[in-house]
Amino acid sequence: TLYFYLLKDYDSAFVNSTKAEKYKNGTSAYLTAPQHNLYSSLSCLAHYYNCTVEQQASILEQVEKNQADMKLWASHCPENFQHKYDLVEAEKARILGQNWQAQEFYEQVIQGTKKSEFIHEEALAYERAAEFYLALGREEIGKLYLRNAHHCYSIWGAKAKVKQLEKEYPQYLLRVTNKSKSKELSTTISTNGIDGEMLDLSTVIKASQAISGEVQLEKLLQNLMKIIIENAGAQKVFLILNHQGNWVIEAQGTVDSDKVTILQSIPIEFVDPENLLPILPTTIINYVIRTQEYIVLNEAVHEGQFINDPYIVATQSKSILCIPLLNQNQLRGIVYLENNLTTGAFTSERVELLNILSAQAAISIDNSRLYQNLEQRVEERTKELSQTLDVLKATQAELIFENDLLRSSEQPSTFKYQVGGSLSINSPTYVVRSADRNLYRALKQGEFCYILNARQMGKSSLMVRMMHHLQHEEFSCAAIDMTRIGSENVTPEQWYKGFAVELWRSFGLPKKVNLKTWWNERKDISPVQRLSQFIEEVILIEVGKKDDDSLENIVIFLDEIDSVLGLSFPVNDFFTMIRSCYNQRTINPEYQRLTFALFGVATPANLISDRRRTPFNIGRAIELEGFNEREAQPLLNGFTEKVNNPQVLLKEILAWTGGQPFLTQKLCHFIRNSSDGIPINQEAEWIENLVQKMVIDNWESQDEPEHLKTIRDRILEGEQESTRLLEIYRRILQGEEVVAVDSPENRELLLSGLVVKQQGILKVRNRIYAQIFDCSWIEAVLSSEHPTFYITSQD
């Protein structure tokens, strides 16, 4: 079989095509039906963002048809076709913003192509995964996958493809070319510029190392300016950085001086008082800021759109180069170069060299700024706590990694696993998950967020910790347990006033506002309108005032939101009021300070049936998943001293619990308190015996605090007919592929926690549930005419 040589622009090669002919080393190669199916789907998905909504729907429909065929082929011969199916699924998940699903599919493709030895499709999978991770800003893993793609294409013999990757990603692939190419590049990079320049590769590498090796900002700017002056052919160079929201000149250098002047943040609009001329052409600078593209002018005074700039008119400028410093698609700085001795001074080769150096410069500037902030914080920590060097390094990590911003820097002296209930702020067993990071970023950006899923998944612990961190970042926060307002025999008037009371109390307003008087003065309007006015006239005015008269942002956390389902009257107006707070942002800027976060065991459709007025279609759903092995590392600290292979033990625990937080903490607690030794290389058997003895055997009597009985009672005592739920669950348990459609039965199964949705299919959450709620249990329940039910406690 002759393999098709994949071009970079495969998206333009196969749309609406049934047969394609390309050439590889002069030999024609025709696509088979599965190959056409694959590349047709990939090309459609590549065009997705360039299409209208109707066209996008059509594309997804066509891809689904292709995938149906591919899935059939994969069922007959997975070695040949399963990885093709997974690659299209990965690309589809990427364009739909389903990032974690895309990651899983990319990994499956890579493993599948490796196993089946499809080197060309392994290369393609690595390349697509690399672009996916680079787009997310995960540069390290993206760089690794890009190098793997480069290696696979080289082995396959796709020389043009290898060159194309090297040209597009020189900053990542400069050091990974094959040996023969390394020999060719070892001394010089030949260019065909006007002057026949020869750029010394060792100089490029040395310059890059000089930039990356400096963390002090002032020294970094000195090194960077000297390197640019030496290699760019400029008379003078300005380095422009963003300082407190304004673009300012931080460094200046000239070719006739060995010294680089570090300036004190001079605005780019600065006018020289001696000759009353601007110091820079601001129209060029602003253009680069806006477009993030470089500008090259060979004779600025006579060409281009900037000939009327006051600076260019006054100085009769000739050669100008203005280049952005980008890191992860974010503008970090600008380098402005000028040569008024000659025209065309900045050749394409010099521009390419500066592009290579500018990428490293942007990263180094970011690092040096982080280091500056780090030094300041380390000094403050040292004065306050007199900590050791190890603690100071941990503080550095807190500044650099967002994940550590969500952890407490203080750890209690004793280690204890907590089974049930909310974890304290200082709990060493708190596990930071992707939900922590997603919720943190969303609330910082003022987004309406909601976490709606099964009980005992750690919602309350997450809420408490999130409040703690936001308050330390000068947010005003209130947490309202909706069960405190009540649901039985409560009138709308009492319920809305009760909510206002909770806000009034949580924000510490009793000494500022007489709520009873305020509320009674407005009895001529509806309760929901009074609550809305209370938020606008009291909360937004009285809450968050600082000594300097500035105002803090406000976050209102609503826990146990599902308690509203027990009210005897509808609360659609309440959720509509929340939506109106977001709509008001364009009218009253004060509402931009206010955001809500909802937690509970429900679905948006349960809480408000009117889709036209629901806030959930403007909000952000935060997925609260179980622990994975990487996230669960803090749990090791409780039994590291008791076992020889703690990582192996943790892996076996998660194999039983599926990362379910309550069960995972419970098993860790059993291990820490166990007096039995764990034999080496027998961890799996030991954990299996522990689970069987302490959890599964006589589970109803051992279920303390209640967890398994909570699931059972949700299934048997819920609003949905238990027989219907059990029949669906039986199919899932027996391995049948049950698609996760949005039906009341499926929603109820998911909210019970018994099942999870994986790649659009319902699965039993873990092995413990599967062994307790097995087919025998289902048969016993269905055959019992008068089953006994128990009411369980809440989360």
Side-chain angles (χ1 to χ4, degrees):
T1 303
L2 295 175
Y3 289 119
F4 155 67
Y5 168 53
L6 182 66
L7 295 175
K8 176 65 179 175
D9 58 339
Y10 61 83
D11 56 316
S12 63
F14 294 101
V15 176
N16 298 323
S17 174
T18 58
K19 183 174 71 174
E21 183 176 4
K22 288 292 172 181
Y23 294 92
K24 175 185 175 184
N25 299 330
T27 303
S28 63
Y30 292 92
L31 295 176
T32 64
Q35 286 175 317
H36 169 261
N37 183 302
L38 171 64
Y39 297 125
S40 174
S41 295
L42 291 178
S43 63
C44 286
L45 293 174
H47 281 290
Y48 183 83
Y49 290 121
N50 300 326
C51 299
T52 64
V53 174
E54 293 78 9
Q55 291 172 330
Q56 289 176 348
S58 178
I59 283 175
L60 292 178
E61 183 179 353
Q62 179 61 46
V63 170
E64 290 296 337
K65 290 180 180 178
N66 291 347
Q67 285 294 82
D69 292 337
M70 190 69 77
K71 189 171 184 180
L72 177 61
W73 295 329
S75 66
H76 293 298
C77 185
E79 294 81 2
N80 281 354
F81 304 114
Q82 184 61 48
H83 60 272
K84 293 180 174 65
Y85 177 85
D86 292 340
L87 179 56
V88 175
E89 287 297 304
E91 290 290 279
K92 185 173 72 173
R94 177 181 64 81
I95 66 157
L96 295 178
Q98 300 167 350
N99 292 339
W100 70 269
Q101 293 97 328
Q103 294 177 41
E104 293 295 328
F105 277 118
Y106 281 127
E107 293 304 319
Q108 291 177 29
V109 177
I110 291 169
Q111 296 305 318
T113 52
K114 281 184 177 179
K115 184 177 180 180
S116 301
E117 298 182 356
F118 284 94
I119 187 68
H120 64 299
E121 288 174 343
E122 181 183 353
L124 175 58
Y126 273 127
E127 183 185 1
R128 302 308 300 152
E131 293 189 4
F132 166 73
Y133 285 114
L134 289 174
L136 290 181
R138 298 178 62 179
E139 188 169 332
E140 288 302 318
I141 188 171
K143 178 169 61 176
L144 174 63
Y145 279 27
L146 193 63
R147 290 180 175 179
N148 288 346
H150 180 276
H151 176 70
C152 291
Y153 281 129
S154 299
I155 294 175
W156 186 37
K159 296 179 181 179
K161 185 64 181 177
V162 170
K163 290 180 180 179
Q164 178 258 314
L165 285 180
E166 291 170 359
K167 182 178 180 180
E168 187 170 356
Y169 301 102
Q171 69 273 34
Y172 301 139
L173 300 177
L174 191 61
R175 300 182 184 180
V176 298
T177 53
N178 57 49
K179 293 183 179 179
S180 62
K181 192 174 295 183
S182 295
K183 292 178 181 178
E184 295 172 7
L185 296 175
S186 61
T187 56
T188 59
I189 300 177
S190 177
T191 67
N192 297 317
I194 297 173
D195 302 321
E197 300 170 76
M198 299 292 286
L199 300 182
D200 187 3
L201 178 59
S202 63
T203 300
V204 175
I205 296 175
K206 183 179 178 181
S208 181
Q209 290 174 340
I211 296 173
S212 62
E214 187 56 68
V215 292
Q216 292 286 349
L217 184 58
E218 185 171 337
K219 292 182 179 179
L220 169 64
L221 298 185
Q222 294 269 5
N223 290 346
L224 177 60
M225 295 291 284
K226 286 181 179 178
I227 289 169
I228 292 175
I229 292 171
E230 290 172 1
N231 293 278
Q235 274 187 297
K236 58 182 177 180
V237 180
F238 292 89
L239 181 63
I240 301 167
L241 301 178
N242 192 299
H243 180 68
Q244 296 180 353
N246 297 312
W247 290 97
V248 296
I249 305 169
E250 295 287 9
Q252 176 183 351
T254 58
V255 71
D256 54 359
S257 174
D258 293 333
K259 294 184 179 180
V260 174
T261 305
I262 304 299
L263 305 176
Q264 298 299 316
S265 302
I266 304 299
I268 59 174
E269 301 86 359
F270 180 77
V271 175
D272 190 336
E274 295 183 1
N275 52 28
L276 300 179
L277 291 177
I279 193 172
L280 283 174
T282 54
T283 56
I284 294 179
I285 305 300
N286 290 327
Y287 178 87
V288 174
I289 292 172
R290 185 173 66 256
T291 65
Q292 298 186 9
E293 298 176 353
Y294 68 82
I295 288 291
V296 181
L297 299 175
N298 293 323
E299 194 171 1
V301 70
H302 295 307
E303 69 174 15
Q305 64 192 73
F306 308 104
I307 57 176
N308 295 322
D309 183 273
Y311 174 86
I312 293 177
V313 172
T315 61
Q316 294 293 291
S317 306
K318 294 182 180 179
S319 299
I320 290 178
L321 171 61
C322 191
I323 193 165
L325 306 181
L326 301 174
N327 182 19
Q328 297 181 356
N329 294 323
Q330 297 295 316
L331 184 62
R332 303 306 189 194
I334 297 170
V335 176
Y336 174 84
L337 306 95
E338 186 175 302
N339 189 327
N340 282 334
L341 296 178
T342 182
T343 59
F346 303 115
T347 63
S348 60
E349 291 76 21
R350 283 174 168 166
V351 173
E352 185 174 356
L353 170 62
L354 290 175
N355 269 327
I356 296 173
L357 296 180
S358 68
Q360 182 60 58
I363 296 171
S364 298
I365 289 172
D366 275 357
N367 290 342
S368 65
R369 282 178 161 174
L370 283 173
Y371 186 80
Q372 272 193 330
N373 295 335
L374 180 62
E375 281 189 320
Q376 181 179 356
R377 181 164 178 177
V378 167
E379 183 178 352
E380 293 173 357
R381 288 284 189 178
T382 303
K383 292 178 182 179
E384 295 173 2
L385 305 175
S386 300
Q387 293 179 325
T388 62
L389 180 60
D390 290 337
V391 177
L392 293 176
K393 288 181 178 179
T395 306
Q396 293 177 0
E398 286 182 3
L399 285 175
I400 298 172
F401 299 106
E402 185 184 50
N403 186 52
D404 290 333
L405 286 172
L406 299 172
R407 295 182 183 278
S408 172
S409 59
E410 301 177 3
Q411 299 292 341
S413 58
T414 59
F415 195 97
K416 181 180 179 181
Y417 295 103
Q418 181 168 329
V419 183
S422 298
L423 275 65
S424 65
I425 292 298
N426 295 327
S427 173
T429 65
Y430 185 83
V431 174
V432 175
R433 290 171 274 180
S434 60
D436 295 68
R437 292 182 285 273
N438 294 336
L439 181 61
Y440 174 78
R441 287 195 292 265
L443 292 180
K444 290 269 287 186
Q445 294 169 5
E447 294 185 57
F448 166 58
C449 301
Y450 53 96
I451 298 181
L452 304 174
N453 61 1
R455 296 202 176 278
Q456 297 177 318
M457 284 294 292
K459 294 186 294 296
S460 296
S461 298
L462 170 59
M463 183 190 72
V464 170
R465 184 162 288 243
M466 195 58 57
M467 272 192 61
H468 173 77
H469 288 294
L470 290 176
Q471 286 171 336
H472 276 273
E473 296 190 20
E474 297 187 340
F475 277 69
S476 292
C477 300
I480 299 178
D481 184 344
M482 300 298 287
T483 60
R484 287 171 55 95
I485 306 175
S487 59
E488 295 183 2
N489 302 319
V490 177
T491 66
E493 170 78 18
Q494 293 170 328
W495 192 85
Y496 282 102
K497 184 176 181 180
F499 188 87
V501 168
E502 292 297 315
L503 290 176
W504 178 68
R505 181 187 56 81
S506 299
F507 284 121
L509 299 176
K511 294 182 179 180
K512 297 180 180 181
V513 178
N514 187 322
L515 178 60
K516 184 176 181 180
T517 302
W518 189 97
W519 191 267
N520 290 336
E521 287 175 350
R522 293 161 176 81
K523 280 196 172 182
D524 56 330
I525 59 177
S526 67
V528 68
Q529 190 174 1
R530 266 177 278 174
L531 178 58
S532 179
Q533 286 191 10
F534 181 75
I535 291 173
E536 181 171 329
E537 297 176 6
V538 178
I539 300 298
L540 292 179
I541 292 177
E542 299 294 339
V543 175
K545 288 184 178 179
K546 296 195 286 188
D547 294 338
D548 60 357
D549 293 331
S550 62
L551 296 171
E552 296 177 343
N553 288 335
I554 302 169
V555 180
I556 299 175
F557 295 88
L558 306 183
D559 198 14
E560 302 288 355
I561 191 65
D562 50 293
S563 68
V564 302
L565 301 176
L567 294 170
S568 59
F569 54 89
V571 287
N572 285 352
D573 287 343
F574 173 73
F575 293 105
T576 302
M577 183 208 70
I578 292 179
R579 181 189 176 106
S580 72
C581 290
Y582 287 83
N583 294 338
Q584 285 292 318
R585 289 180 173 184
T586 58
I587 302 172
N588 184 352
E590 285 299 312
Y591 277 93
Q592 296 176 9
R593 298 171 48 220
L594 176 66
T595 192
F596 291 84
L598 277 57
F599 300 76
V601 185
T603 64
N606 294 147
L607 297 174
I608 177 171
S609 57
D610 190 344
R611 294 187 177 184
R612 296 171 300 174
R613 299 192 297 158
T614 178
F616 296 103
N617 57 15
I618 64 168
R620 181 172 178 181
I622 305 295
E623 298 293 336
L624 191 58
E625 306 288 346
F627 304 156
N628 62 41
E629 188 174 352
R630 177 181 57 81
E631 295 169 341
Q633 293 300 304
L635 300 178
L636 290 175
N637 296 327
F639 51 76
T640 301
E641 298 178 356
K642 299 190 63 174
V643 299
N644 293 305
N645 297 314
Q647 290 287 356
V648 174
L649 202 64
L650 177 62
K651 187 174 182 179
E652 293 301 326
I653 292 171
L654 296 178
W656 276 97
T657 68
Q660 204 286 331
F662 180 93
L663 290 176
T664 303
Q665 293 265 6
K666 190 169 188 176
L667 290 189
C668 290
H669 172 74
F670 288 150
I671 294 170
R672 180 171 175 81
N673 293 336
S674 173
S675 58
D676 298 337
I678 303 176
I680 299 177
N681 298 327
Q682 297 182 32
E683 290 84 359
E685 294 85 351
W686 193 91
I687 289 294
E688 183 176 1
N689 291 333
L690 176 71
V691 172
Q692 193 68 42
K693 178 182 177 182
M694 303 298 292
V695 180
I696 296 177
D697 291 344
N698 301 314
W699 66 269
E700 289 175 301
S701 61
Q702 296 197 99
D703 189 30
E704 294 295 337
E706 287 187 358
H707 173 71
L708 299 169
K709 286 184 280 189
T710 302
I711 296 173
R712 177 200 64 188
D713 294 343
R714 175 107 194 178
I715 295 293
L716 302 183
E717 289 256 306
E719 294 183 1
Q720 299 301 318
E721 182 184 352
S722 61
T723 301
R724 175 63 178 155
L725 293 179
L726 292 174
E727 289 296 343
I728 297 173
Y729 173 63
R730 192 212 306 265
R731 292 165 53 203
I732 299 170
L733 190 63
Q734 292 175 342
E736 185 178 338
E737 191 172 279
V738 177
V739 179
V741 298
D742 187 21
S743 67
E745 293 82 8
N746 283 8
R747 290 197 296 265
E748 190 63 26
L749 281 172
L750 288 168
L751 288 177
S752 73
L754 187 57
V755 302
V756 293
K757 182 168 63 174
Q758 295 179 355
Q759 300 174 10
I761 305 298
L762 296 181
K763 304 282 187 181
V764 182
R765 180 178 286 276
N766 57 50
R767 291 166 64 186
I768 292 177
Y769 293 167
Q771 291 202 18
I772 290 176
F773 303 110
D774 58 6
C775 290
S776 299
W777 175 80
I778 296 173
E779 292 298 335
V781 172
L782 292 177
S783 62
S784 175
E785 294 183 0
H786 303 286
T788 302
F789 301 132
Y790 302 91
I791 304 301
T792 61
S793 61
Q794 300 293 304
D795 232 353

